[in-house]
């Protein structure tokens, strides 16, 4: 395992700015409508956070990159919706995902401003709620106040687990003579779990789609007389 991860860690150590850029883009693209529903931005951030305890990345830089990317992605999506109004929800490429658009609208109508807060933690509607909020007329100041508050909680929720887990494992590994190896296992573990979760989600959606396709139509019986 270490032979596979060591080259990546060495590369990041020599080009830390690329890791910060990756975190920034992961957070930004995850907030882009449609694109964000397939970009595993949170997984990338959670995996790269394992490089903080060893000093390859600075925790302030990781936080700054994640917060800036999320704020820019959400803010841009909201502003597009705010400018285009409701027509944007039926325009391409949103028109190709009517189910997610309808789900985002229902989520927003149910929770109001809190939908912006909750959506930051709920993929894949995270990528649709900001633009929906703008299209449905949420005031900009209210959106940014709620959104920034959510991002400031979302960032540590996706960064600190990796930092704390690897720090704890490093301490345990040090006592067992395996110091410095925790990140070699944390990163593949996170990516593997994310891949399995993605496959499970795809399988469930495909099965549901197949069930809908084969469901018999109910034809009303007309009674004479």
């Amino acid at each position: 395992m270490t032979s596979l991860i060591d080259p990546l860690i060495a590369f990041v150590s020599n080009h830390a700015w690329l890791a910060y850029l990756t975190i920034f883009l992961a957070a930004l693209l995850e907030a882009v409508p449609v694109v964000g529903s397939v970009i595993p931005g949170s997984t990338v951030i959670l995996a790269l956070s394992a490089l903080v305890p060893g000093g390859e990345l600075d925790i302030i830089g990781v936080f700054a990159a994640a917060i800036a990317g999320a704020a820019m992605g959400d803010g841009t999506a909201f502003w597009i919706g705010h400018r285009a109004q409701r027509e944007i929800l039926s325009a391409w490429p949103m028109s190709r995902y009517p189910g997610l658009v309808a789900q985002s609208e229902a989520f927003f109508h149910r929770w109001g401003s809190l939908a912006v807060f909750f959506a930051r933690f709920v993929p894949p509607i995270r990528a649709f709620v900001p633009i929906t909020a703008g299209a449905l007329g949420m005031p900009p100041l209210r959106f940014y106040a709620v959104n920034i508050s959510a991002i400031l909680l979302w960032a540590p929720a996706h960064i600190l687990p990796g930092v704390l887990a690897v720090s704890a494992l490093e301490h345990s590994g040090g006592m067992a003579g395996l110091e410095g190896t925790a990140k070699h296992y944390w990163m593949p573990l996170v990516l593997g779990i994310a891949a399995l979760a993605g496959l499970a989600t795809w399988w469930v959606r495909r099965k549901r789609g197949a069930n809908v396709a084969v469901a018999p139509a109910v034809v009303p019986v007309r009674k004479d007389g």
Side-chain angles (χ1 to χ4, degrees):
M1 185 68 71
T2 57
S3 62
L4 297 176
I5 304 299
D6 275 336
L8 172 62
I9 295 175
F11 182 83
V12 170
S13 297
N14 295 322
H15 306 86
W17 68 271
L18 281 177
Y20 297 129
L21 178 62
T22 299
I23 292 171
F24 172 82
L25 292 176
L28 187 150
L29 293 176
E30 197 176 46
V32 174
V34 180
V35 175
S37 61
V38 296
I39 294 293
S42 297
T43 302
V44 171
I45 294 170
L46 188 61
L48 288 178
S49 66
L51 299 180
V52 170
E56 291 85 5
L57 295 179
D58 179 68
I59 192 168
I60 301 299
V62 172
F63 267 105
I67 291 172
M72 183 174 293
D74 284 352
T76 302
F78 170 81
W79 198 250
I80 291 173
H82 182 72
R83 296 285 294 179
Q85 298 297 309
R86 193 176 181 86
E87 288 77 11
I88 191 68
L89 300 180
S90 57
W92 187 90
M94 303 284 283
S95 59
R96 297 189 60 186
Y97 300 86
L100 284 173
V101 171
Q103 187 179 2
S104 298
E105 285 195 64
F107 193 73
F108 184 78
H109 285 307
R110 178 178 180 182
W111 295 102
S113 299
L114 286 177
V116 175
F117 185 92
F118 293 142
R120 181 108 283 275
F121 302 88
V122 184
I125 63 170
R126 173 191 300 144
F128 288 84
V129 166
I131 195 171
T132 301
L136 297 183
M138 184 176 181
L141 288 179
R142 185 185 304 170
F143 171 83
Y144 288 115
V146 176
N147 180 245
I148 295 301
S149 298
I151 290 173
L152 292 178
L153 290 178
W154 167 85
H158 287 75
I159 295 171
L160 292 183
V163 175
L164 296 177
V166 171
S167 296
L169 290 172
E170 289 285 3
H171 178 70
S172 301
M175 293 188 295
L178 299 173
E179 186 176 3
T181 63
K183 55 197 167 193
H184 296 83
Y185 296 98
W186 174 262
M187 297 174 71
L189 178 64
V190 169
L191 296 175
I193 291 175
L196 290 175
L199 287 174
T201 301
W202 171 82
W203 182 81
V204 169
R205 289 179 178 174
R206 183 179 180 185
K207 186 175 181 180
R208 287 179 178 175
N211 290 338
V212 171
V214 301
V218 177
V219 180
V221 179
R222 181 179 178 181
K223 295 182 179 180
D224 296 330

